[in-house]
Amino acid sequence: ARLRNHQWVVRLHPMDTYSRWTELEASFPNVVISRPWKHRSDSRFWAIPSADEIGLLGNTLRYADATVTVASTTALDSAVVGTPVVGVGFHPTAEAWEGRFYRDCHFSEHYRPLMETGALPLATGMEELHSLLAAAVGDRDGLREERAEMVRRLCGVVDGNTVERIARAMLGLLAAPARSPVLERGY
């Protein structure tokens, strides 16, 4: 009941078949489907998002009450903008082996560093998902320090000044004398 009046934004995976979500979007006025980028007809393909598409995703995550994700680095993107995250580690109707996959993928080599921060509580059933999501929505500051640590550990400094740091580093490299063993030997 606590989450009933929320608007739900379902951010599709870029390789998803977008058309399969049309009925859900039409049936529930509080559900919005967020498509990462336009597909050519209904084919699935990788593409490079535009600056506007990246801005839309960033603002969607920034102004969300919480992000619910299945082993997606969107959890990290949400943490960067201070939004609580809840992981889904189950499938409510799948066979047991598939249900275990949803939990286990959170501990894969790729995703484990996010889980180790403690910033991403993992629901292993529907009741737990409701409880964790209600807690995230009810206390946006809960796990704030853990999220900040996740960002520090996995992203480094995130302050909007990366371009300036890269430029300074490149200019420093250009100004420094060459230290190549090949050049030092006169080859």
Side-chain angles (χ1 to χ4, degrees):
R2 184 175 189 178
L3 304 170
R4 180 178 301 130
N5 295 321
H6 280 260
Q7 180 180 41
W8 296 86
V9 178
V10 178
R11 172 76 175 186
L12 303 183
H13 187 279
M15 296 296 288
D16 202 339
T17 304
Y18 293 177
S19 62
R20 75 186 186 107
W21 296 90
T22 304
E23 187 176 327
L24 175 76
E25 191 173 30
S27 300
F28 295 93
N30 62 332
V31 173
V32 174
I33 304 299
S34 173
R35 294 155 179 85
W37 48 69
K38 292 189 184 339
H39 282 176
R40 292 180 284 240
S41 68
D42 198 35
S43 66
R44 296 176 298 167
F45 70 101
W46 284 108
I48 297 174
S50 69
D52 287 344
E53 289 164 331
I54 291 171
L56 177 60
L57 173 60
N59 282 330
T60 298
L61 297 175
R62 178 184 322 277
Y63 296 110
D65 289 329
T67 299
V68 179
T69 181
V70 178
S72 168
T73 50
T74 300
L76 188 55
D77 299 326
S78 295
V80 165
V81 297
T83 299
V85 186
V86 175
V88 177
F90 69 98
H91 187 293
T93 61
E95 293 183 33
W97 67 269
E98 185 178 354
R100 283 191 306 275
F101 169 80
Y102 286 93
R103 182 204 170 279
D104 293 348
C105 66
H106 287 85
F107 299 97
S108 66
E109 183 177 346
H110 172 72
Y111 204 72
R112 184 180 317 123
L114 279 75
M115 296 303 296
E116 289 173 346
T117 66
L120 179 59
L122 183 64
T124 57
M126 192 60 78
E127 280 187 40
E128 189 176 19
L129 177 59
H130 288 172
S131 176
L132 291 172
L133 189 53
V137 168
D139 181 13
R140 188 174 179 88
D141 287 336
L143 300 178
R144 176 182 294 278
E145 287 304 313
E146 290 84 348
R147 288 192 305 273
E149 176 59 26
M150 178 169 65
V151 171
R152 279 191 295 277
R153 188 183 305 177
L154 299 169
C155 299
V157 178
V158 179
D159 61 3
N161 297 313
T162 301
V163 172
E164 288 81 9
R165 282 193 296 278
I166 291 171
R168 277 194 306 274
M170 295 303 291
L171 290 171
L173 288 172
L174 291 171
R179 292 195 177 102
S180 167
V182 172
L183 294 176
E184 289 173 6
R185 292 188 191 118
Y187 295 119

